[in-house]
Amino acid sequence: MNTAMTPLQLTALLPLILATLTSVVVMLTIAFKRHHRLVAGITVAGLNLALLSLIPVIVAANGQAIELTPLLIVDGYAIFYMGLVLITALGVLTLCHAYFEGYSGNREELYLLLSMATLGALVMVCSRHFAGFFIGLELLSVPLYAMVAYPVRDSRALEGGVKYLVLSGAASAFMLFGIALIYAETGALGFAEIAGKLAMGRQGILLAGAAMILVGIGFKLSAVPFHLWTSDVYEAAPAPVAAFLATVSKAAMFVVVYRLFVNVGLFRQPATVEALTWLAVASMLVGNLLALRQDNVKRILAYSSIAQFGYLLVALILAGGRATEAAGIFLLSYLVTALGVFGVMTLVSSPMKDRDVEHIEQFRGLFWKRPYLASIMTTLLLSLAGIPLTAGFIGKFYVIAIGVDARQWLLMGAVIVGSAIGLYYYLRVMIMMFQPIPVRERVSEPLNWVQNAGGAMLMLAMALMLVIGVYPEPFLDLIRASVLVVR
Amino acid sequence: MTNSIILVWLLFLPFVGGWASWQAERYSRYLPRWIALSTMLTVLGISVWLWFTGDYSLAAPSAIPQWTLQYKAEWIPSFGISFHLGLDGLSILLIILTNLLGVMAIGCSWREIDRYVGFFHLNLMWNLAGVVGVFLAMDLFLFFFFWEMMLVPMYFLIALWGHSMPGGKSRVYAATKFFIFTQFSGLIMLLAILALVFLHHSSTGVWSFGYMDLLVTAKQLDPQIAWWLMIGFFLAFAVKMPLVPFHTWLPDAHGMAPTAGSVDLAGILLKTAAYGLLRFGLPFFPEASKDFAPIAMSFGVLGVIYGAVVAFSQTDIKRLIAYTSISHMGFVVIGIYAGTTQALQGVVIQMIAHGLSAGALFILCGEIYERLHTRDLRLMGGLWARFPYLPPIMLFFSAASLGLPGLGNFVGEFLILVGTFPVAPIITIISASGLILAAVYSLILVQKAFHGRPREDGHGAHLEDLSKRELAMMGLMMALLLGLGLYPQPVLDTAAAAMKTVELQYSPAPLAAAASASAP
């Protein structure tokens, strides 16, 4: 195989190169001068450049898939999700800047960690080979351990970080073992190559391998019963880091798993489909049920994200065809909404104090104190609940549509029951913000909050969410244009 | 087909007005009210104008629905979803009712609501706009969209401005229960809609959520599939109606809701379910509905009797009226599934009359509550001596509710019973007993609240009576009920064509047989 890169391949690699460069430059800058705003600025600039570099990639690719080594592929699917990952990461970055202003320790390394994790997510989105998948996964996970435990003097954060480290390590080990088993039987690691050789291997061992990989995937997507870490880690992590966990980290994992499913044709294997169906049903029901009795909004959101990925798993189970579209629109609306919700959590907790504002009682009367922030939170919660006019409705509509088309009545029943249960806690948080409070506490927020990066980002997220909800056609076109190349 | 932009105005004016009154709250406490009132009056004016100028009689009523006015625009073409509004005799009547009760709801909360006035009117008007959207939508996605969209404002109305019962459940509880019940059943309907759309796609290769397209597909379905889809639609409407045993959210919601919320809920929201059955349930699945009719009518009878009996034993005046709504809506279900011209015409009259009478009764309850600070019938009594106007007006609406001849409700119930008798005599006989029970609970209400010795409750021997504003509102509603009772013909004429279409869709065969039998 010719190892030299053609200019076309180099162009396709641009986003990854720029993201890598961002990490290096940030690291060097920190070595010379510690300056919060400077470092944040460099990271934002670097990731924006990576985002902009998608334009030459689109032009160069011209609708074709560009193969970069056996490990990576840049097709429409990868480009779309690279864009999504980068935009979400940028959103998290603006939140980090607002939040960590109040942190007394060294603030700058967080941006280094964040840019590396984003690079990992980009690699995952492009990979078509188990090696690329695993490299990306570790590149994403390892910085995240440190990000969760970033306020090192806070024992809660440390506990969360260690918990995530240990459990995530165990999940990675499972996954690696599963990959090894599959490799032992098929002699291949590329998704497409495996697909051709599945019939040759011994089914028992292949099944064991697939099951172990599924454990690793289930952990990262926090599907029930591999969800136990989620609420603790979300609660312990600083709010913007929890945002990153809930958005970029989960989305990247889903994107690569979806590619794996479609390329290997796993959605045609009854055993995996059955296992995934039960994972999905359990995630929707258990995730929603566990959220009911929580008083901590971060924990509620953690359980809600478990349930949301339960809905999304429906698209994975029915992979191929319209399900790709459904997964795209669902992920898009979920990312926008989740980023916004965690953004509100971050802004009400900024600048960082000993504990984030996270108890449901602390949200009492928020609407009368900070009407815009509370309005944004309300619409975003309605979007998570899947009420019309919001993006969440379009996402859920698509999921139900493909489910009905495939006559998956068990899954559809779970979606409906799950949504009905979910309403309870979304409404509970929502109405708390409207509860009356004594008049003297009704201090309106300073008017310049929108001008802050965090506030502007939130307004954008909400606006985008509403646009997707009211007029989704352009976004659907975009998703349809980003074809996933099979094989 | 010409696009009538006026339909879009009907829909968007309340949205804009609601937004404006929210923003106006910053400047004045009264401005939001005036903005809301003038917007609703404008919309009411437009809808009445449409009624007078439009031609709602069809040249040749057939099983294919025809619209007087339409508006259509592309929305999500990849799924065949369009922004398609259509107006016929049934929708215009219900839209006028909606807008009229909307004006009443704003009028009756003029004094009652003093917290967050602007935000209140935002919710009220968005709810009304959602309901108007339900009555206009001719695309099933759009219909579902409005169906769900009217829930959120209603939730806020109950949860924020409601009254928690001392020592009882909170208003947030009632609001959440309302939301979850209706959302859950709504999602089941979404499943049915989507199944229909996919079946349409597999048979024609075209994606469409359009009413006319799906109507064709729905008629050709395999009976078993049609049965399941019909159940999906029926469940959503049964919860909203509400039919016993899906009714438990209603008394709670009414018990806690503010007056305007109750007027809105009883007068308008419940009608969306009946409208849904008339527009979608029966026309889409005539055969399955016919098989299901005995069961649905039994649910209706159960509602008539159960609602009346339980109403009788209530001590909370608003819960009492809530249960009477269940009883009255039972008649509506019976009439819809009977499917004869008289019965369907009766359903329309009954819906309008019940909207007016229940709305007025809830407004009066609100007035009593404002003065006595209780809704407990055991703590009332002897009120007749303490007000000059309110008790007789309440008596009037109670009499309307019990079906006194000369008032609208009588016409509705009478037509329903007459129209149902040839189809289901036993059902008719049992449900007619509901009229007697209605007399019992209505008179009990009047007797307990107004007669007997006046109580010493610290509010003085004479209570402040209805203001001119309230008297004017009551007078208008009394006049309308009387008009509906004495000369219902204009309403019957308007609805005739639409109801004839439903009838032809629901039972084409027996009619043809009857016609040929009577010809010689």
Side-chain angles (χ1 to χ4, degrees), chain A residues 18-19 22 41-51:
Chain A
L18 282 169
T22 310
I42 292 175
T43 323
V44 169
L47 292 188
N48 265 317
L49 275 180
L51 186 61

Side-chain angles (χ1 to χ4, degrees), chain A residues 75-224:
Chain A
D75 51 7
Y77 180 78
I79 294 173
F80 175 71
Y81 286 109
M82 276 203 277
L84 215 52
V85 162
L86 282 168
I87 291 170
T88 320
L90 279 167
V92 175
L93 258 177
T94 54
L95 294 178
C96 286
H97 182 255
Y99 182 86
F100 281 98
E101 274 294 333
Y103 181 55
S104 53
N106 288 331
R107 295 172 285 209
E108 291 76 11
E109 276 82 359
L110 184 88
Y111 298 95
L112 177 59
L113 295 169
L114 200 140
S115 56
M116 286 198 293
T118 309
L119 176 64
L122 291 178
V123 171
M124 281 170 87
V125 166
C126 299
S127 49
R128 56 163 174 159
H129 189 280
F130 269 122
F133 179 7
F134 197 74
I135 292 170
L137 179 61
E138 291 305 295
L139 198 52
L140 171 67
S141 303
V142 175
L144 266 174
Y145 308 146
M147 281 162 75
V148 171
Y150 199 76
V152 277
R153 280 184 288 274
D154 178 4
S155 60
R156 227 163 46 111
L158 269 185
E159 185 198 325
V162 171
K163 191 173 235 170
Y164 188 53
L165 166 70
V166 172
L167 290 176
S168 178
S172 293
F174 261 98
M175 191 138 140
L176 212 49
F177 202 162
I179 294 173
L181 285 179
I182 291 200
Y183 182 66
E185 283 307 305
T186 60
L189 282 175
F191 298 165
E193 288 84 65
I194 291 173
K197 293 175 182 163
L198 267 187
M200 299 192 298
R202 280 165 290 178
Q203 289 306 310
I205 294 181
L206 281 178
L207 210 57
M212 287 181 137
I213 293 177
L214 215 55
V215 172
I217 293 171
F219 174 84
K220 280 289 170 184
L221 295 180
S222 56
V224 176

Side-chain angles (χ1 to χ4, degrees), chain A residues 322 368 372 387-389 393 397-398 400-401 404-405 416 423 427 430-431 434 436 442 470-473 480, chain B residues 26 75-79 116 119 141 144-145 148 152 155-156 159-160 179 183-184 191 194-195 198 207 209:
Chain A
R322 250 205 157 152
W368 315 114
Y372 285 97
I387 306 296
L389 273 182
F393 171 69
F397 171 79
Y398 251 91
I400 295 181
V404 170
D405 193 22
I416 288 180
L423 265 180
L427 291 178
M430 198 175 89
I431 204 66
F434 291 88
R442 276 184 217 160
V470 175
Y471 191 60
E473 192 63 23
R480 241 173 266 131
Chain B
R26 287 191 217 150
W75 186 11
I76 310 175
S78 57
F79 249 123
Y116 322 133
F119 193 54
F141 185 87
F144 181 77
F145 189 85
E148 295 277 287
V152 181
Y155 171 82
F156 276 120
L160 293 182
F179 202 130
Q183 167 87 5
F184 179 72
L191 279 190
L194 281 169
F198 280 103
W207 291 106
F209 277 74

Side-chain angles (χ1 to χ4, degrees), chain B residues 200-276:
Chain B
H200 178 76
H201 179 247
S202 61
S203 68
T204 63
V206 180
W207 291 106
S208 173
F209 277 74
Y211 179 74
M212 296 304 217
D213 293 336
L214 295 182
L215 195 60
V216 175
T217 301
K219 291 247 174 74
Q220 301 158 349
L221 287 182
D222 175 60
Q224 206 182 349
I225 295 175
W227 170 270
W228 281 109
L229 296 186
M230 187 273 297
I231 293 287
F233 277 86
F234 177 78
L235 268 180
F237 299 140
V239 169
K240 195 66 151 270
M241 187 86 87
L243 279 183
V244 179
F246 309 107
H247 67 286
T248 60
W249 61 271
L250 184 80
D252 284 336
H254 270 307
M256 321 285 177
T259 306
S262 288
V263 172
D264 200 359
L265 201 56
I268 310 165
L269 244 58
L270 304 189
K271 309 300 178 284
T272 58
Y275 173 84

Side-chain angles (χ1 to χ4, degrees), chain B residues 390-507:
Chain B
L390 193 147
I393 295 177
M394 187 111 174
L395 179 66
F396 177 91
F397 286 111
S398 300
S401 164
L402 69 80
L404 192 73
L407 299 175
N409 308 53
F410 171 75
V411 180
E413 274 160 23
F414 181 78
L415 281 176
I416 290 175
L417 292 176
V418 168
T420 310
F421 191 77
V423 183
I426 298 176
I427 296 268
T428 317
I429 292 165
I430 303 175
S431 58
S433 68
L435 290 176
I436 300 162
L437 293 171
V440 176
Y441 64 65
S442 299
L443 294 177
I444 267 297
L445 169 68
V446 172
Q447 199 261 335
K448 276 191 182 164
F450 298 130
H451 295 263
R453 250 160 34 93
R455 278 181 172 268
E456 295 303 322
D457 51 9
H459 293 293
H462 290 283
L463 294 165
E464 189 194 348
D465 205 0
L466 298 178
S467 66
K468 285 197 180 108
R469 165 180 58 85
E470 289 153 353
L471 279 177
M473 285 162 52
M474 289 298 125
L476 177 63
M477 286 165 94
M478 284 157 81
L480 287 173
L481 266 182
L482 259 176
L484 203 58
L486 296 176
Y487 188 59
Q489 203 56 41
V491 173
L492 292 175
D493 287 344
T494 309
M499 290 300 103
K500 191 80 195 161
T501 308
V502 174
E503 189 197 347
L504 287 175
Q505 285 167 327
Y506 184 45
S507 49

Side-chain angles (χ1 to χ4, degrees), chain B residues 203-409:
Chain B
S203 68
T204 63
V206 180
W207 291 106
S208 173
F209 277 74
Y211 179 74
M212 296 304 217
D213 293 336
L214 295 182
L215 195 60
V216 175
T217 301
K219 291 247 174 74
Q220 301 158 349
L221 287 182
D222 175 60
Q224 206 182 349
I225 295 175
W227 170 270
W228 281 109
L229 296 186
M230 187 273 297
I231 293 287
F233 277 86
F234 177 78
L235 268 180
F237 299 140
V239 169
K240 195 66 151 270
M241 187 86 87
L243 279 183
V244 179
F246 309 107
H247 67 286
T248 60
W249 61 271
L250 184 80
D252 284 336
H254 270 307
M256 321 285 177
T259 306
S262 288
V263 172
D264 200 359
L265 201 56
I268 310 165
L269 244 58
L270 304 189
K271 309 300 178 284
T272 58
Y275 173 84
L277 277 178
L278 286 172
R279 180 72 80 214
F280 302 102
L282 297 192
F284 275 20
F285 315 106
E287 294 304 320
S289 298
K290 232 174 282 173
D291 294 344
F292 190 67
I295 302 173
M297 285 171 132
S298 315
F299 275 127
V301 172
L302 186 66
V304 169
I305 308 287
Y306 177 86
V309 170
V310 178
F312 175 70
S313 61
Q314 294 302 309
T315 53
D316 181 324
I317 191 164
K318 278 183 91 175
R319 284 180 79 92
L320 192 156
I321 301 171
Y323 276 107
T324 70
S325 292
I326 296 175
S327 182
H328 288 304
M329 292 311 281
F331 278 109
V332 169
V333 175
I334 295 171
I336 290 175
Y337 276 92
T340 58
T341 314
Q342 284 117 328
L344 289 174
Q345 289 279 36
V347 164
V348 175
I349 300 276
Q350 171 82 347
M351 285 201 280
I352 297 172
H354 173 255
L356 291 172
S357 64
L361 282 173
F362 277 120
I363 293 177
L364 290 170
C365 289
E367 303 297 343
I368 294 177
Y369 181 78
E370 257 179 50
R371 288 158 178 86
L372 293 180
H373 303 289
T374 181
R375 296 195 315 250
D376 195 331
L377 276 174
R378 290 166 300 188
L379 302 177
M380 294 180 192
L383 289 182
W384 201 289
R386 297 165 75 183
F387 295 105
Y389 287 121
L390 193 147
I393 295 177
M394 187 111 174
L395 179 66
F396 177 91
F397 286 111
S398 300
S401 164
L402 69 80
L404 192 73
L407 299 175
N409 308 53

